[in-house]
Structure formats: C-alpha cells, structure tokens
Amino acid sequence: MPSLVVVGAQWGDEGKGKIVDLLTGQVDSVVRYQGGHNAGHTVVIGKEEFVLHLVPSGILRPGVVCLIGNGVVVDPAALVEEMDGLAARGITYDGTFFISDRAHLILPYHRAVEREAEKLKGTRKIGTTGRGIGPAYADKVARVGIRVGALLDPELFRRVLATNVETMNYFLSRLYGTPSEDLFDVGSIYSEYMGYAERIAPYIADTALILNNALDRGERVLFEGAQGTHLDVDHGTYPFVTSSSATAGGACVGTGVGPTRIGRVLGIVKAYTTRVGSGPFPTELLDATGERLRTQGGEFGATTGRPRRCGWFDAVAVRHAVRTNAIAGIAMTKLDVLDGFETLKICNGYRWRGKLLTEFPSDPRILEELTPEYEEMPGWSGALGDITSVDDLPPAARAYVDRIVSLLGVSLDILSFGVRRDQTCLLLDPMAAGVS
C-alpha cells in the first residue's frame, strides 16, 4: 500500500517537520491527522526557515496536496495567520489545500477554560500551551463541539454557539469566579468567526473522501503526526499528555481511512531525548550536560519558545513507541548535536525498588521514582554537519547509532545531522519500503 505514517517516537519535537519535508518530494498528498496549533514543525530550505503549526509540511512542495484531517482541532485565527504568512513568502493554496469539514473548531472560551483549569492545578500543572486544545477536544467528546463545516451554515453556527456560550459563561462564573465583564458575547464571537469563514470557506471539504479517492488511484499518501508517542492521550505518560491520539492509530481515526490502507510506519527519534512541559522524564539531565544539549541543539519550542528539558537517549521509552505504533524503521535526527561529547549514555533499563525494568511502566508513580540504567559509549570529536554518507561517520558515531538501532530492533531508514535538506542520509526509502 503506497502510504506512510510518520510519528514521533519520544515526547515530540523529534524533527518530524524536516523528515516530512524530505519525503514529500516523492508523495502526492500529505495529511495532518491530530493535534492543533500547539504543535510546531520547523523546516529549513536553503537559507529560509519555515515554522508550521497547522498547515502540513508538504505545502512547501509545489503540487503536493495538503489536507488537515478531521482529527485536528482548528483555531481559524491561527490558521488564517499562518496561511497569510506563507502566502507572503510565495506559497499558494488553490487546488492543493483542504480542511476537513469534520475537524473541530477552537473557540475563545476554550482558551479561557484551559487557563483557569491550569491555575487550579498548582504544582500538578500539565504545562499546556494555553491555546484551548484540550477543552476543544473535551467538547468534541462531550458532543457539544462545533465543526469547521458549521462555518458554512451561519444560522447553524450561531444557534450552537449561543448554547455553548451560555453554558461556558455559567461554568466560568460559577466554578472559576470569572467576573461578568470577562465573560463571552455571542455576537462578537459570531462576527469574528464569520470573518474567518469568508477566508477559509474555499478550502473546507470532505477530506476523507479526497484521501480515499487518492488511495484508490494508487497515489502516495503521507500521514503526518504532531507531538509524540509519549504524549498520546492513551499510550503516553498520562495525565501529562496531549488531548489526541498522537500514535499511528490516530492516522486512521483522524483522517477517515481504514487501517488496511496504511502501508508502513516511520518513527522519528532524536539522538538524545527532550520533553516540553510537566511530567515524568527518566533520563532528564538537570546539570551542565543537559544545558549543553539544550544550547547545542537549539532546544526551544517552535510554537511557544519554551526551553525544552533535555536528557540522554531512552531506549526503553522508544521501544514502547516501536511496539505501540508498529514502527518498522526510524529516522534519527540531530546526531550532530552530540559533536564533542567525550562520553555518551544510552538508557536501556530502569531501576525501581531493587528491580530492573526493561519495559516502559504505565504507572506514573513508578515513573517518578525510578532511576535510569545507562550504557556508556565513547563520543567523537569534529563536526558531522558536512558529512554526505553514513560511511563517512566517525567510528564512534557509527557505533552509537548502530547500538541504538540494535536495541530498538528496527531498520535505520534516515540519518540527519543538521537542519538543511542536504544534511541527511537516506539509507532505506520509507515510501518504497511501504509499497507492497
């Protein structure tokens, strides 16, 4: 089947944007299947840097059809701003960009609820971006959400909006004590969103139908995930997770294609580990080494600018991702960030109350108490940025990569050591490998 799902195999920020951009040179369509504008993909083309939040990375390749699937929650203000910014840089949309009419809208009251809920959590804050993602998904599951398609029916949109605003104002005032002057007005939200409707109406479509028709024609489709496996609402480090299915299974639910139409899953991993926000992180380094990784790796969020927490590569966590997603091969990014480290460490087990754990625990209490068990490997001197072949890697770098691949039990499809397109080695074509 000529389709490929690209997933993050850690806590997000693995460099999916670059890998998706690399692969879109050989696909017909790219579809984003979950998350919202809390995600960010950075792509560097020549001397230009593009930061994408909602629009799939394939938009940077002329002729590639890009779709926002039904599993995404859409803030139309953020979407219009992103589209305008890309248009100003020469990117076009007509005939190649579509938004699912089944995707759900983020409304202003979602952001307010999220901010107030985080305040009440105190030290147990999840560390959300405050952009209304979670409450929008909560409304979806509670069957009171508003879909993007409702923007095409102003009467329907206003009727549902009025009911929701009344409920949310009651909720905000009674639970959080929000003063009346800070509550929401139906008329102002309606006017604002009808303005967005004029801008995005030409792109609203039944994307599931478009996608299935493309697969029927034998076209190549890439499913682009946001965040990472350990932020998945079911399989991540709950409750410190995102609000959607960031694993490969979400590609079917979030786009409207059946599971037998998925050809292969490619997992993206950094050569080390990072995490944004609160929650367990077994290999986190709260020392000069962690700060060095952050500095050398430019580890600051593409969407929020928040500094990322940094640590050594965690093979236990990634093995969990391999199993959960049925990952067949990996793309390893940012190997160059490890340039100059005298010693490198790989976590291949956890020690908890005298026991050695080799599988990732689901119990958050265990995750908070365990300590990582490390293998040490020598580092390398010199810079990897100008390498054009895996054969040119320093022996220590090759040994480090080979050890990780061995521990994960997958193939190494892509190796990246820099932000540019040309700073990449393609060892196994993930798209070709996904065609049966």
Side-chain angles (χ1 to χ4, degrees):
M1 188 66 63
S3 61
L4 179 74
V5 180
V6 174
V7 298
Q10 294 160 311
W11 276 276
D13 307 307
E14 299 95 348
K16 295 182 292 296
K18 176 185 176 177
I19 302 304
V20 169
D21 171 68
L22 179 73
L23 296 173
T24 50
Q26 52 180 306
V27 303
D28 302 290
S29 302
V30 179
V31 56
R32 167 83 178 273
Y33 63 83
Q34 49 81 215
H37 65 305
N38 56 338
H41 290 167
T42 302
V43 179
V44 177
I45 303 174
K47 295 182 179 180
E48 288 195 88
E49 179 178 280
F50 297 84
V51 180
L52 304 166
H53 304 286
L54 281 166
V55 179
S57 303
I59 202 70
L60 304 177
R61 297 273 189 179
V64 174
V65 175
C66 293
L67 307 103
I68 293 178
N70 57 273
V72 178
V73 287
V74 178
D75 184 329
L79 177 59
V80 168
E81 181 182 3
E82 184 173 345
M83 291 176 66
D84 286 348
L86 290 169
R89 301 175 71 176
I91 305 299
T92 59
Y93 301 94
D94 292 345
T96 59
F97 178 63
F98 301 97
I99 309 158
S100 173
D101 54 3
R102 294 182 176 93
H104 277 248
L105 290 168
I106 296 175
L107 281 298
Y109 49 74
H110 291 134
R111 293 189 291 273
V113 168
E114 185 166 26
R115 286 193 300 268
E116 296 300 329
E118 277 286 274
K119 288 179 187 176
L120 286 184
K121 290 186 176 76
T123 58
R124 298 297 295 173
K125 286 181 180 179
I126 294 173
T128 71
T129 60
R131 300 188 177 202
I133 309 297
Y137 276 115
D139 274 6
K140 173 182 177 176
V141 176
R143 295 165 294 179
V144 295
I146 304 178
R147 287 175 161 184
V148 168
L151 293 175
L152 302 179
D153 186 339
E155 184 179 341
L156 170 65
F157 178 74
R158 187 174 188 116
R159 184 170 69 249
V160 180
L161 178 66
T163 300
N164 285 7
V165 167
E166 181 181 5
T167 301
M168 285 295 180
N169 281 343
Y170 180 88
F171 184 73
L172 287 165
S173 61
R174 294 301 180 94
L175 180 60
Y176 298 120
T178 302
S180 57
E181 61 269 21
D182 292 333
L183 297 177
F184 293 97
D185 174 68
V186 174
S188 59
I189 296 176
Y190 175 81
S191 297
E192 179 186 355
Y193 275 63
M194 284 299 99
Y196 300 139
E198 290 183 14
R199 295 293 310 280
I200 67 174
Y203 310 104
I204 298 174
D206 184 345
T207 55
L209 180 60
I210 294 172
L211 199 55
N212 278 283
N213 285 343
L215 289 167
D216 288 343
R217 293 191 297 268
E219 295 180 6
R220 293 187 169 196
V221 175
L222 192 153
F223 297 82
E224 177 184 27
Q227 285 95 27
T229 297
H230 291 285
L231 292 179
D232 182 274
V233 69
D234 288 295
H235 302 288
T237 49
Y238 191 89
F240 301 98
V241 293
T242 194
S243 304
S244 58
S245 297
T247 45
C252 295
V253 178
T255 62
V257 304
T260 57
R261 310 208 78 163
I262 302 299
R264 194 167 185 265
V265 181
L266 176 70
I268 316 300
V269 298
K270 275 179 183 167
Y272 49 102
T273 312
T274 64
R275 177 168 193 162
V276 171
S278 305
F281 182 179
T283 64
E284 182 174 14
L285 297 169
L286 300 173
D287 57 12
T289 302
E291 185 58 40
R292 182 179 174 185
L293 284 171
R294 183 179 299 112
T295 302
Q296 290 189 191
E299 295 297 351
F300 300 89
T303 297
T304 63
R306 290 186 294 178
R308 296 174 185 141
R309 301 157 63 190
C310 297
W312 295 119
F313 189 89
D314 189 335
V316 183
V318 178
R319 277 200 300 268
H320 171 73
V322 169
R323 180 175 61 251
T324 303
N325 294 287
I327 291 171
I330 62 167
M332 182 182 292
T333 65
K334 290 199 164 186
L335 184 63
D336 57 302
V337 174
L338 301 180
D339 289 350
F341 279 83
E342 184 175 339
T343 302
L344 303 174
K345 296 183 181 182
I346 300 172
C347 172
N348 193 30
Y350 304 136
R351 185 68 59 179
W352 179 69
R353 297 184 180 179
K355 299 178 181 178
L356 179 64
L357 308 179
T358 57
E359 298 294 340
F360 195 79
S362 59
D363 189 334
R365 295 169 298 178
I366 296 176
L367 284 167
E368 290 174 353
E369 294 177 10
L370 57 76
T371 56
E373 293 273 309
Y374 288 117
E375 298 180 7
E376 292 192 0
M377 301 190 71
W380 57 88
S381 58
L384 302 183
D386 296 326
I387 285 177
T388 57
S389 168
V390 174
D391 295 334
D392 297 331
L393 286 173
R398 184 61 188 261
Y400 178 76
V401 172
D402 287 347
R403 180 55 180 159
I404 288 175
V405 171
S406 173
L407 291 173
L408 301 182
V410 295
S411 66
L412 177 66
D413 294 8
I414 298 172
L415 189 61
S416 170
F417 25 75
V419 297
R420 302 192 314 268
R421 282 176 173 173
D422 63 339
Q423 292 178 306
T424 313
C425 288
L426 185 67
L427 289 84
L428 175 66
D429 185 344
M431 287 301 306
V435 178
S436 59

